[in-house]
Amino acid sequence: MQFTHHFTVSELTLAALSNTAHIDQPVLCLHGWLDNAASFIPLAAHLPQLPLLALEFPGHGHSSHRSAGANYYFFDWVQDLVALCRVQRWQGLTIIAHSMGAMVATALAASFPELVSRLILIDSLGFVTDTAEHAATQLRQGIDSRLKGPSRQLHYATLQAAAAARQKQSDFGLHEAMLLAERGTIQNEQGLRWRADMRLRHSSVYRMTPEQAIALCNAVNCPVLSILATDSHFYDKATDSARHYQQLTIQTLTGGHHCHMTSPQQVAGFVSDFLQR
């Protein structure tokens, strides 16, 4: 992905990587929580025929952080995508999305079906939910988390050290961690630090109930491909959501949560077969 793009949406700058200089009607790629656009570099190498545009959500990668005093709400990322599509006049998009990005894309397809024609979800299906009886506890934990302020920003002497720290939190190798670190770090007087907004680590003040999540999944009327990694801790929970989609194809592969980085050729094969149908 050798091309960079920047979009202005609601006073935010959204950054992206692409394999094409022209982005009239891209295949939109959406990364997971605390990842960045570089997470799609391995997959892009096996899908050269597609005009891929890997967008970075606010607070991630090279995109703007939300303003002082703001917080990161899940549905605000859906609004960011709607605003971007309207500015760019995009409709009927094919979206390839991983983890949190896949949940955002699912909510987008449910609520704005004219914007999404096909949905490819990588190690994701459905939403993170909790029962209504836990709403008060969730709200308290979220507010307490915010009032404590952002987590302490760590600094690293080298890019390799930053990548090694990221690798310890994930299920991929140092090569994949380096891709994220090269895109996702910045140098200052204290060393290298991650670009991501530390407010992203605050606990959520709410969770959708299972009933709300089911309603959103039921509302997705476009064809959906879910590529699930059998070694991921999302696997069992994701398969429970399968019956709530109207047009769903599931493919599985051996691997972890970032299977699009560790097994990009196999994932690309699933994507190509789905799009050809």
Side-chain angles (χ1 to χ4, degrees):
M1 286 189 163
Q2 67 271 38
F3 298 98
T4 58
H5 302 275
H6 294 88
F7 307 93
T8 301
V9 175
S10 303
E11 299 182 356
L12 295 172
T13 297
L14 303 183
L17 293 178
S18 178
N19 60 358
T20 176
H22 304 289
I23 51 172
D24 293 337
Q25 184 73 5
V27 173
L28 190 62
C29 301
L30 302 176
H31 61 77
W33 180 64
L34 291 180
D35 283 347
N36 56 58
S39 64
F40 286 98
I41 289 176
L43 184 62
H46 297 279
L47 294 171
Q49 75 279 15
L50 298 180
L52 301 177
L53 179 75
L55 185 74
E56 290 173 331
F57 288 113
H60 296 78
H62 288 242
S63 288
S64 298
H65 295 185
R66 298 211 187 277
S67 61
N71 290 289
Y72 289 87
Y73 292 94
F74 173 80
F75 286 123
D76 284 347
W77 282 314
V78 180
Q79 179 177 319
D80 294 329
L81 293 182
V82 174
L84 176 62
C85 287
R86 290 180 177 176
V87 168
Q88 296 298 123
R89 299 184 179 180
W90 292 337
Q91 290 204 352
L93 290 172
T94 294
I95 298 181
I96 303 174
H98 173 240
S99 192
M100 181 198 80
M103 297 179 204
V104 175
T106 300
L108 177 71
S111 52
F112 293 85
E114 71 277 11
L115 299 182
V116 185
S117 64
R118 292 174 295 190
L119 203 53
I120 298 166
L121 311 176
I122 299 174
D123 205 45
S124 180
L125 197 61
F127 298 90
V128 175
T129 64
D130 202 350
T131 58
E133 65 188 24
H134 294 146
T137 300
Q138 185 72 48
L139 178 59
R140 182 186 179 93
Q141 290 175 347
I143 291 175
D144 281 343
S145 174
R146 291 176 179 180
L147 293 179
K148 288 178 182 176
S151 303
R152 183 171 62 90
Q153 181 70 269
L154 299 178
H155 289 81
Y156 304 90
T158 65
L159 190 63
Q160 289 77 9
R166 181 67 175 86
Q167 183 189 4
K168 289 179 181 178
Q169 301 173 356
S170 304
D171 53 6
F172 47 56
L174 186 60
H175 172 72
E176 290 78 23
M178 283 291 290
L179 288 176
L180 294 177
E182 287 167 359
R183 175 75 181 172
T185 58
I186 188 171
Q187 182 79 43
N188 64 18
E189 294 179 356
Q190 297 171 276
L192 281 172
R193 64 168 179 83
W194 288 92
R195 289 177 175 269
D197 192 336
M198 298 303 289
R199 290 176 292 177
L200 291 166
R201 294 184 175 273
H202 288 163
S203 297
S204 175
V205 295
Y206 74 93
R207 297 271 189 226
M208 275 189 279
T209 65
E211 293 79 10
Q212 289 172 317
I214 289 170
L216 285 176
C217 293
N218 282 335
V220 177
N221 58 29
C222 68
V224 179
L225 169 65
S226 177
I227 302 170
L228 299 176
T230 57
D231 297 335
S232 167
H233 66 275
F234 289 91
Y235 179 71
D236 291 334
K237 293 180 180 179
T239 53
D240 292 339
S241 302
R243 67 183 183 276
H244 303 304
Y245 288 81
Q246 297 181 36
Q247 302 183 66
L248 176 64
T249 301
I250 294 179
Q251 297 284 5
T252 61
L253 76 168
T254 302
H257 185 52
H258 285 77
C259 56
H260 61 312
M261 298 187 76
T262 57
S263 301
Q265 187 171 5
Q266 189 174 2
V267 172
F270 292 146
V271 171
S272 296
D273 290 345
F274 175 72
L275 295 183
Q276 287 172 8
R277 290 202 302 271

